[in-house]
Amino acid sequence: MDVKVFKTFLEVAKERHFGRAAENLYITQAAVSARIKQLESYFGARLFLRDRNAIRLTPSGERLISYADIMVNTLEQAKFDLSLESGQALQLTIGGAPDIWDAYLQSCLSLITDKFKGYAFTANALSREQIYKKLLDKTLDMALALDPVNYDELCCTKVSSLVLTLVSSKPCSVEQALENNYVYVDWGTRFSSEHAERHPTISAPYLRTSTGRIALDFIVEKGGTAYLPQSMIEPYLASGDLYKVSEIDEWCKPIYLSYRRANNSIEAIKKIEHLLISPSANKKATSEALAPIKDHTSSETL
């Protein structure tokens, strides 16, 4: 079965529209319909229910999505690996949860690529669910996140820590801070339970977000309070745009590196693990994380 057929299926499933899927794939709508019919004939099952004004997945179509996604990603990864220039010794894919890209991973990526000359890297921001799924289906070599993994086939090592500080746009007490446009940042599942223990009577937050960058930009512009990494807030504390909230301790969250134990690139991954654990690397990553923030510019993943 041609992988283009599965790509077409995933595009229709995403758009819920044959015409838009055709436009996105630069093919005719007739070609889209033919590919979907080919899949339905192959599996002997209806994948979409076509109403006059809408398209929706059948239960069979819903189940096929995960398999199609794995197949497309695996084949594209293989194609990329085999098409590397002869000068590239190895290709590695790195994933990271959105919550630690600006705070830690962006500078670590710079450190890794500087150290491993001749290697090719692919880096993406992924949800925690995507990280676990892609590690297990072998379309991701390693990932950094604030939550440890508990799968026998995966190795999980603490490589660093993220220090979170409660800061506000104006001087205030803890009680005032949590009532002053409090922005809740999702710093992982453990943070969620610990946050409930630390602040059991807190009211609903003014804003919820998955990244510290969004929270930082929001409270600097609109005013408010949030738990943010020390590496991100130091320039704002120095300039007087933000203030540490008194009478509350900082929050230290471990950062974990996860990878498959049986990965074909295990030697390179172990070297990266050793690099990230080293005190000098952590010190450099923390200091470099400040550089883009000083100019109030946003980091972008590679």
Side-chain angles (χ1 to χ4, degrees):
M1 182 69 69
D2 194 329
V3 69
K4 289 186 292 187
V5 176
F6 290 99
K7 285 184 178 180
T8 303
F9 165 75
L10 290 172
E11 194 65 32
V12 175
K14 182 183 74 173
E15 294 291 345
R16 296 293 199 275
H17 193 279
F18 277 58
R20 286 195 295 271
E23 291 176 3
N24 294 343
L25 295 170
Y26 301 100
I27 60 177
T28 65
Q29 187 168 334
V32 170
S33 298
R35 290 177 183 180
I36 297 303
K37 287 180 180 178
Q38 184 181 354
L39 267 183
E40 290 179 330
S41 175
Y42 181 82
F43 288 109
R46 292 285 298 275
L47 301 176
F48 295 98
L49 293 177
R50 302 165 180 81
D51 297 328
R52 185 173 59 179
N53 298 317
I55 293 175
R56 56 190 176 90
L57 286 159
T58 65
S60 295
E62 292 281 3
R63 288 195 294 272
L64 182 59
I65 284 181
S66 60
Y67 295 106
D69 189 50
I70 291 172
M71 184 174 299
V72 170
N73 286 333
T74 302
L75 288 175
E76 288 185 343
Q77 185 65 49
K79 182 179 178 181
F80 184 75
D81 286 348
L82 295 175
S83 66
L84 289 175
E85 295 179 0
S86 58
Q88 302 287 4
L90 184 69
Q91 196 272 334
L92 292 171
T93 56
I94 303 174
D99 47 19
I100 63 170
W101 263 107
D102 282 336
Y104 174 78
L105 190 46
Q106 189 72 46
S107 53
C108 278
L109 186 61
S110 175
L111 191 68
I112 292 169
T113 53
D114 284 345
K115 186 73 174 179
F116 290 80
K117 298 295 185 182
Y119 283 57
F121 293 92
T122 299
N124 292 295
L126 304 166
S127 68
R128 288 187 287 273
E129 293 75 14
Q130 288 176 314
I131 284 175
Y132 303 149
K133 177 176 176 291
K134 288 181 177 293
L135 283 172
L136 292 171
D137 67 29
K138 302 181 181 181
T139 57
L140 184 66
D141 290 310
M142 68 190 90
L144 286 144
L146 294 172
D147 291 314
V149 296
N150 297 305
Y151 295 98
D152 291 340
E153 54 264 67
L154 298 181
C155 182
C156 183
T157 306
K158 176 187 172 183
V159 293
S160 187
S161 296
L162 196 65
V163 179
L164 301 176
T165 302
L166 186 62
V167 293
S168 180
S169 54
K170 59 184 180 181
C172 59
S173 64
V174 177
E175 292 77 14
Q176 293 170 329
L178 297 176
E179 296 176 357
N180 175 33
N181 289 0
Y182 177 60
V183 179
Y184 178 90
V185 185
D186 181 10
W187 296 112
T189 53
R190 287 192 173 184
F191 174 82
S192 178
S193 59
E194 292 171 5
H195 186 278
E197 293 177 1
R198 181 179 274 210
H199 304 296
T201 60
I202 189 174
S203 56
Y206 185 75
L207 174 69
R208 286 178 176 269
T209 178
S210 60
T211 65
R213 166 58 57 185
I214 292 175
L216 175 61
D217 290 345
F218 182 87
I219 66 173
V220 168
E221 179 181 356
K222 301 290 186 181
T225 308
Y227 277 102
L228 293 172
Q230 188 69 28
S231 59
M232 293 179 69
I233 62 174
E234 283 187 359
Y236 296 90
L237 295 175
S239 65
D241 292 316
L242 292 178
Y243 300 86
K244 284 187 178 182
V245 176
S246 58
E247 304 172 2
I248 192 163
D249 295 332
E250 293 178 333
W251 213 329
C252 188
K253 303 299 298 177
I255 297 175
Y256 298 95
L257 173 69
S258 301
Y259 53 88
R260 296 188 310 281
R261 299 179 188 275
N263 195 301
N264 292 333
S265 306
I266 193 65
E267 291 186 9
I269 293 172
K270 285 285 189 181
K271 290 178 181 178
I272 291 174
E273 179 182 55
H274 180 74
L275 174 67
L276 296 181
I277 291 174
S278 67
S280 59
N282 276 295
K283 183 177 180 180
K284 183 177 180 182
T286 301
S287 62
E288 287 184 356
L290 301 176
I293 306 299
K294 290 180 179 178
D295 295 326
H296 294 202
T297 58
S298 298
S299 300
E300 295 182 356
T301 60
L302 299 182

